[in-house]
Amino acid sequence: MVEQAARTDLSDLVRTRRAELGLSLRALASRCINPDDPDAGPVVDHNWVDRLEKGVLREIPDYARLAGLAAGLQVPLGVVQEAAGSQFWRVDSVWSDDGQVRALVHDYLEMSPDDQQKVRALMDSWRRLKRD
């Protein structure tokens, strides 16, 4: 059995976006407040963010942490959720060309271009079937 390389989608998103915002680990952590429960305060600390960025975070983030992270990074929650799904479960969101159909596909990015095209063709055929 071939071992697959670890995915770093969420780690990369956090590292890149934190640099774009010019935030320290502590500053980002202090902004990571779940909008559904703002009175609870930050849902992560700077050590948690550091472990996430380095790819050594042991626990899978729950919804509250992802929502807080999205707020702290000033990106839509869906972007953070998709990156987490890719990194921790190897599930990739694939959108149809018209942006109307989304499929969650295990290891889509590791598929051959031919297999990726088959997934997109299946999505397209489902979209046409639904319109008829």
Side-chain angles (χ1 to χ4, degrees):
M1 185 167 147
V2 176
E3 187 173 321
Q4 295 179 329
R7 298 279 297 263
T8 60
D9 302 62
L10 183 60
S11 298
D12 295 343
L13 171 67
V14 172
R15 188 180 321 98
T16 300
R17 186 67 181 139
R18 184 171 69 82
E20 290 171 355
L21 295 170
L23 298 172
S24 68
L25 292 168
R26 288 181 192 274
L28 173 59
S30 71
R31 295 167 49 141
C32 292
I33 297 172
N34 179 358
D36 297 333
D37 190 10
D39 293 336
V43 293
V44 300
D45 64 24
H46 69 282
N47 290 317
W48 187 93
V49 176
D50 186 50
R51 289 192 314 274
L52 174 60
E53 285 189 4
K54 290 177 178 173
V56 296
L57 186 66
R58 294 203 181 272
E59 72 272 5
I60 296 172
D62 60 11
Y63 175 83
R65 283 189 168 151
L66 294 178
L69 199 55
L73 296 171
Q74 298 176 336
V75 297
L77 175 58
V79 170
V80 174
Q81 288 174 315
E82 286 189 15
S86 294
Q87 180 164 330
F88 294 105
W89 294 285
R90 303 184 71 84
V91 174
D92 300 303
S93 290
V94 181
W95 288 90
S96 63
D97 292 335
D98 64 4
Q100 298 299 307
V101 177
R102 179 175 80 159
L104 300 177
V105 182
H106 190 267
D107 281 335
Y108 178 80
L109 297 178
E110 282 76 28
M111 289 180 173
S112 69
D114 187 50
D115 286 343
Q116 288 180 353
Q117 182 54 41
K118 289 175 185 174
V119 169
R120 299 184 75 74
L122 179 63
M123 292 169 62
D124 185 49
S125 66
W126 183 84
R127 179 79 173 135
R128 281 194 311 261
L129 181 65
K130 191 170 180 180
R131 278 187 266 168
D132 293 342

